[in-house]
Amino acid sequence: MKIASSPSVPSTVETELLVVLVADTGDKTPAPELLASDRAIQTLAAPLIAASDLTGKFVETVWLLSPAGVAAKRILFLGAGKRDKFCITELRKLAGAAARTAKSKKIKSFALVLPEFLEVPAAAQAAAEGIVTGDFDVDTYRSDRKDQQITEATLIIQPVADAKAVENSIAAGVIIADSQNLTRSLALEPGNFLTPTILAERARAMCEETGLTCEVYGSDKMKELKMGAFLSVAQGSEEEPRLVVMRYEPATAPASPVLGLIGKGITFDSGGISIKPGDGMEKMKYDMSGAATMIGTMRAIALLKPNVRVISILCCTENMPSGKATRPGDVAHAMNGKSIEIINTDAEGRLVLADGLCYARQLGATHLIDAATLTGAVVIALGYYNVGVFTNNDEFAEEFLISTERTGEKMWRMPIDQDYFDQIRSDIADIKNTGGRWGGAITAAMFLKEFVEDKPWIHLDIAGTAWLEEGKAWMPKGPSGVSVRSLIDFARNFTNIPK
Ligand code: BES
Ligand code: MN
Ligand code: ZN
């Protein structure tokens, strides 16, 4: 897809489809206001507003064909919601909604008028992100796949002094969104098409394309490294596990800090011997979303080239029951020597991440962020709309949350403190892998904390948010790629953050 910007008068733009945003300024009664100061277009909107056909309600759509006095073949008035709530986050969604609405009408190119009051480069980046992520489809395996892709979009902007800055922002937006889409396309893959071996190959292919260093290891290396926790999960599966190390090491970057990004890559989570109920088990193909998140993030980092070292570890395996599988009650030893009593083999994510976190530190990571579809409990706590954020370092987490505000990804700080540790004390080992029913997302985070030592660390529990249960106007039902944009933004700003 090509995305360009053009400082033009909207009504003079020749296009298949001109998208104009309409906000609602009214408190009780809708008072629609066009977010484009163009006389010809306002004239066209006036009767629609008078008839209450156009209210500005969020993602409302009103079409005009062959509009008079306008060069475009069609106009789409797209409701932008309340005017005083409108910001970059809404623009990103609306750009996505514009792309999806165009697709539904088999229109492959369109122009979108950006509101004048937004800062142009930031608005252009967000619009580009929205359009590219909105263009993503989930029907990969359908024989009647439509393959209706947007080929071209033009952002109508205010004249700016620095045109190059706008161009760069759009290019960055496209890279970020393509990377988020890569994450989504991986999460979408079923377990039989995306085994641990294939997931590792996909990571390697991305690294080769973008110039990252990539190492892929099997169980021999994992035994050598004494990754007993990770191996205890892998041992039940016919599929070989894979440990992936991706490195971005710009020559000019200082030796420290090194950002470590660790992803849970369970390509299918049956629960193992503590097998899950059949209902909904098919969804556990997206239990590798954490690893997919890091693949997408590393891609964008490789292309956007921030001056900071980043190293990423993916812990890829299946969680399956078999005669070789770990039994509840078994004890495993993680890489740092800690003994773990495995109470429930379905709490496998924390086991693979335990070794992943230790290894990231061994490889020199000074700051750690992991992403994982770790617990059903985080879905109980935060539902489908907020990623759970856990940390052992307030400043580090605060800085990260600033990134989430810029990217519009909703995340919510959750507490961790030593009181919860009692729940994961074992009678026979150093720690056990489940903490009972209450505060399950927190006790899972407490478990991970045992493996980060003194390093600043953030844990993102994306179990409720990595898969959209309901389609939105800007995004279809399915994998969301949540946290990719925030991790990219954070990495790009990491050099400026006081440590
Ligand atoms: N992969 C699941 C968590 C999950 C749940 C992801 C729902 C996405 C949607 C994880 O491995 C798991 O099974 N967790 C257990 C832990 C329990 C046994 C302590 C859970 O949350 O039920
Ligand atoms: Mn599980
Ligand atoms: Zn899992």
Side-chain angles (χ1 to χ4, degrees):
M1 187 200 306
K2 245 183 46 211
I3 302 189
S5 67
S6 166
S8 319
V9 177
S11 53
T12 66
V13 177
E14 286 183 23
T15 172
E16 284 291 311
L17 170 65
L18 182 70
V19 182
V20 178
L21 303 179
V22 183
D24 176 8
T25 56
D27 195 11
K28 295 217 172 57
T29 43
E33 176 196 314
L34 257 59
L35 300 184
S37 50
D38 184 301
R39 251 302 162 63
I41 296 173
Q42 277 167 354
T43 307
L44 290 167
L48 293 168
I49 291 172
S52 297
D53 278 7
L54 188 55
T55 66
K57 186 171 173 285
F58 195 63
V59 301
E60 166 191 67
T61 53
V62 179
W63 289 83
L64 287 182
L65 193 61
S66 313
V70 168
K73 286 192 191 155
R74 303 175 191 80
I75 291 185
L76 168 65
F77 291 113
L78 184 59
K82 292 279 183 235
R83 172 67 182 82
D84 55 358
K85 293 231 175 67
F86 187 90
C87 62
I88 295 270
T89 299
E90 274 68 40
L91 175 67
R92 190 184 289 104
K93 288 179 183 171
L94 291 165
R100 294 199 73 68
T101 312
K103 278 156 78 83
S104 74
K105 301 259 184 202
K106 300 200 166 41
I107 296 167
K108 296 192 170 192
S109 79
F110 67 94
L112 169 67
V113 184
L114 299 191
E116 288 157 20
F117 52 85
L118 295 175
E119 196 218 333
V120 178
Q125 179 183 328
E129 289 170 4
I131 293 167
V132 175
T133 52
D135 199 23
F136 182 86
D137 292 312
V138 298
D139 55 354
T140 326
Y141 289 97
R142 280 175 84 144
S143 329
D144 64 348
R145 180 175 164 86
K146 304 264 186 325
D147 225 11
Q148 168 73 63
Q149 247 41 58
I150 302 282
T151 53
E152 203 180 347
T154 307
L155 307 176
I156 311 299
I157 58 169
Q158 295 303 301
V160 282
D162 190 354
K164 189 77 195 148
V166 180
E167 211 176 287
N168 289 344
S169 302
I170 294 176
V174 171
I175 288 171
I176 292 163
D178 277 337
S179 301
Q180 184 178 344
N181 285 350
L182 169 62
T183 296
R184 294 161 84 194
S185 68
L186 290 167
L188 189 66
E189 289 291 332
N192 62 331
F193 282 99
L194 196 87
T195 60
T197 306
I198 297 172
L199 178 55
E201 276 169 16
R202 295 287 299 267
R204 193 201 287 284
M206 181 283 286
C207 290
E208 274 165 14
E209 266 167 38
T210 58
L212 294 174
T213 322
C214 184
E215 299 143 61
V216 176
Y217 301 111
S219 51
D220 288 348
K221 172 81 171 188
M222 291 158 64
K223 277 176 202 148
E224 210 177 286
L225 289 167
K226 298 195 164 41
M227 291 186 158
F230 190 163
L231 285 164
S232 77
V233 178
Q235 74 189 42
S237 171
E238 293 287 324
E239 292 290 338
E240 265 278 299
R242 289 288 181 266
L243 172 69
V244 181
V245 183
M246 302 181 280
R247 295 173 201 257
Y248 170 72
E249 292 169 324
T252 52
S256 171
V258 179
L259 184 59
L261 303 176
I262 302 96
K264 169 178 173 180
I266 304 294
T267 58
F268 186 73
D269 180 12
S270 70
I273 296 296
S274 316
I275 198 161
K276 287 180 182 293
D279 255 9
M281 201 203 270
E282 73 284 353
K283 289 194 57 196
M284 283 302 118
K285 65 175 184 178
Y286 84 90
D287 211 18
M288 34 55 70
S289 292
T293 296
M294 298 318 180
I295 296 175
T297 301
M298 289 304 280
R299 176 186 182 274
I301 288 174
L303 297 174
L304 295 170
K305 304 193 191 317
N307 197 34
V308 59
R309 287 170 202 272
V310 187
I311 140 171
S312 177
I313 312 259
L314 312 179
C315 306
C316 310
T317 179
E318 277 188 328
N319 185 23
M320 297 292 262
S322 78
K324 290 192 208 145
T326 290
R327 293 154 283 258
D330 283 3
V331 171
H333 289 86
M335 204 179 153
N336 63 351
K338 287 211 167 135
S339 60
I340 305 164
E341 184 185 10
I342 298 170
I343 302 295
N344 189 319
T345 64
D346 197 11
E348 84 298 341
R350 64 198 77 182
L351 296 172
V352 303
L353 289 174
D355 284 331
L357 289 163
C358 289
Y359 194 42
R361 283 191 290 109
Q362 192 186 88
L363 294 180
T366 59
H367 293 69
L368 304 168
I369 306 183
D370 75 75
T373 45
L374 201 65
T375 66
V378 85
V379 195
I380 308 279
L382 296 174
Y384 293 130
Y385 294 105
N386 273 280
V387 171
V389 180
F390 304 80
T391 188
N392 62 353
N393 185 304
D394 289 340
E395 292 81 43
F396 190 42
E398 288 305 323
E399 289 298 339
F400 180 73
L401 289 172
I402 292 173
S403 286
T404 71
E405 271 160 35
R406 273 196 289 264
T407 61
E409 293 182 320
K410 285 205 234 181
M411 308 214 183
W412 199 259
R413 265 294 284 283
M414 297 279 286
I416 58 169
D417 65 65
Q418 213 50 37
D419 283 343
Y420 293 92
F421 189 76
D422 284 345
Q423 283 175 247
I424 53 170
R425 266 186 228 284
S426 161
D427 295 333
I428 66 155
D430 297 333
I431 185 173
K432 59 183 181 181
N433 81 328
T434 58
R437 183 164 176 169
W438 310 116
I442 303 171
T443 50
M446 282 303 289
F447 182 97
L448 296 180
K449 185 171 164 285
E450 289 300 296
F451 302 91
V452 303
E453 303 287 341
D454 57 341
K455 300 284 181 274
W457 154 77
I458 295 168
H459 156 56
L460 303 175
D461 195 335
I462 56 173
T465 46
W467 195 272
L468 227 62
E469 292 294 333
E470 235 176 64
K472 306 278 179 207
W474 56 93
M475 224 187 220
K477 173 177 167 177
S480 68
V482 74
S483 69
V484 170
R485 288 204 307 269
S486 298
L487 287 167
I488 297 168
D489 185 274
F490 185 70
R492 292 179 85 188
N493 290 287
F494 190 53
T495 37
N496 313 323
I497 289 169
K499 279 167 239 33

